[in-house]
């Protein structure tokens, strides 16, 4: 059995990634923070794709919760390891910096960067021992370009891009690849409330992307065919910013 963990797998892009990896033959560990009902729906879709999975609810920004969940899984699967990790969990709390509460600055960074550290640090060693692993980090156009109203989110996503490049160089010899995906506007709960009609005029493809389109890219980066791609950021944005 091959295992993949997708953080924030209960909804949006994470859910589509869970389904894609299930189609590729992975048993899926679906992480969510609170939305157990949506995570169970993802599990149902994974089963419809012909694989099984389980829901692991924990807050990626909480080191103790993450350790408890991962160690509990490792204890019940002593012979196995998680070979694909998709660090997808994320939130946005937009505001211009002059009005941004400290809590909104920290929460966004804690989930994206703290979450990356907490989960990756625990799963990395088994990947190195088995000499195979795939780590895919969900960045954003905001982390490449910087977007006004998103200094916290841009800082977090820019940080994850730098972490991707650094870690990739640490582990490449062990056949573990580390890449980032940088979506533009993708139709999920996260973009609800944005003015889609106005924003799509800025996108050369003239539309928002779908979670399934992002999942195809993640699936490729997770595949054996992507074995010589590491330390990269792949944009998927309809031509918005390249
Ligand atoms: P979404 O629909 O809002 O889903 C967010 C997911 O993250 C949910 O599964 C949520 O779990 C989970 N999550 C949030 N905080 C968490 C925490 N502390 N611990 C564990 N899980 C947590 O978002 P999305 O649009 O699919 O975004 C997925 C990723 O893509 C994010 O990293 C986002 O920044 C990035 N991205 C999105 C877009 C876009 O346009 N949508 C563009 C660029 C980048 P619950 O269901 O339990 O709340």
């Amino acid at each position: 059995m091959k295992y993949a963990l997708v953080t924030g797998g209960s909804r949006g892009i994470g859910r589509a990634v869970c389904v894609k990896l299930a189609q590729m033959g992975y048993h899926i560990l679906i992480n969510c923070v609170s939305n157990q009902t949506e995570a169970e729906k993802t599990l149902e879709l994974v089963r419809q794709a012909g694989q099984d999975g389980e829901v692991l609810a924990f807050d990626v920004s909480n080191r103790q919760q993450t350790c408890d969940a991962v160690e509990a899984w490792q204890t019940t699967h002593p012979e196995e390891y998680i070979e694909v990790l998709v660090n997808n969990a994320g939130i946005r709390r937009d505001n211009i910096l002059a009005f941004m509460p400290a809590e909104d600055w920290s929460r966004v960074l804690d989930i994206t960067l703290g979450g990356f550290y907490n989960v990756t640090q625990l799963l990395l060693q088994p990947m190195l021992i088995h000499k195979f692993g795939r780590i895919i980090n969900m960045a954003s156009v905001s982390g490449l370009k910087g977007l006004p109203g998103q200094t916290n989110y841009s800082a977090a996503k820019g940080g994850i891009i730098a972490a991707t490049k650094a870690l990739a160089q640490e582990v490449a010899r062990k056949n573990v690849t580390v890449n980032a995906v940088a979506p533009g506007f993708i139709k999920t709960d996260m973009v609800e409330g944005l003015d889609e009609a106005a924003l799509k005029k800025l996108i050369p493809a003239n539309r928002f992307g779908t979670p399934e389109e992002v999942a195809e890219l993640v699936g490729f980066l997770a595949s054996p065919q992507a074995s010589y791609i590491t330390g990269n950021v792949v944009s998927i944005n309809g031509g918005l910013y390249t």
Side-chain angles (χ1 to χ4, degrees), residues 59 61 91-97 99-112 152-153 156:
D59 180 343
S61 71
I91 61 163
R92 66 178 181 92
R93 296 265 173 90
D94 298 353
N95 208 332
I96 57 169
L97 191 70
F99 296 127
M100 186 179 291
E103 150 72 12
D104 287 358
W105 173 264
S106 327
R107 195 71 192 126
V108 169
L109 269 81
D110 288 351
I111 293 174
T112 296
N152 51 355
Y153 189 80

Side-chain angles (χ1 to χ4, degrees), residues 6-16 30-39 42 56-62 65-66 87-92 107-108 110-112 115 119 137-143 153 157 181-192 194 208-209 211 214 236:
V6 181
T7 70
S10 47
R11 294 183 282 125
I13 294 172
R15 169 180 282 167
I30 304 158
N31 160 256
C32 67
V33 61
S34 59
N35 216 326
Q36 190 87 22
T37 313
E38 292 302 311
T42 300
L56 292 187
F58 61 90
D59 180 343
V60 295
S61 71
N62 184 313
Q65 276 186 31
T66 308
N87 285 306
N88 166 77
I91 61 163
R92 66 178 181 92
R107 195 71 192 126
V108 169
D110 288 351
I111 293 174
T112 296
V119 186
N137 300 317
M138 204 53 70
S140 167
V141 64
S142 188
Y153 189 80
K157 296 303 192 183
V181 167
F185 292 100
I186 309 298
K187 248 178 136 42
T188 69
D189 295 347
M190 187 173 273
V191 298
E192 233 159 62
L194 298 185
F208 282 13
V214 181
I236 174 160

Side-chain angles (χ1 to χ4, degrees), residues 43-134:
L43 180 56
E44 190 45 45
L45 293 170
V46 162
R47 290 188 174 137
Q48 284 170 20
Q51 294 297 323
D52 207 354
E54 57 204 284
V55 174
L56 292 187
F58 61 90
D59 180 343
V60 295
S61 71
N62 184 313
R63 179 74 180 163
Q64 193 59 52
Q65 276 186 31
T66 308
C67 285
D68 290 349
V70 171
E71 282 166 12
W73 184 86
Q74 284 170 340
T75 306
T76 51
H77 299 78
E79 303 297 322
E80 282 140 331
Y81 83 109
I82 297 164
E83 67 174 50
V84 174
L85 166 62
V86 184
N87 285 306
N88 166 77
I91 61 163
R92 66 178 181 92
R93 296 265 173 90
D94 298 353
N95 208 332
I96 57 169
L97 191 70
F99 296 127
M100 186 179 291
E103 150 72 12
D104 287 358
W105 173 264
S106 327
R107 195 71 192 126
V108 169
L109 269 81
D110 288 351
I111 293 174
T112 296
L113 292 179
F116 162 81
Y117 169 78
N118 289 333
V119 186
T120 310
Q121 202 270 337
L122 290 169
L123 267 49
L124 193 57
Q125 207 150 20
M127 291 182 187
L128 298 175
I129 290 166
H130 287 87
K131 296 194 174 58
F132 183 85
R134 293 281 186 267

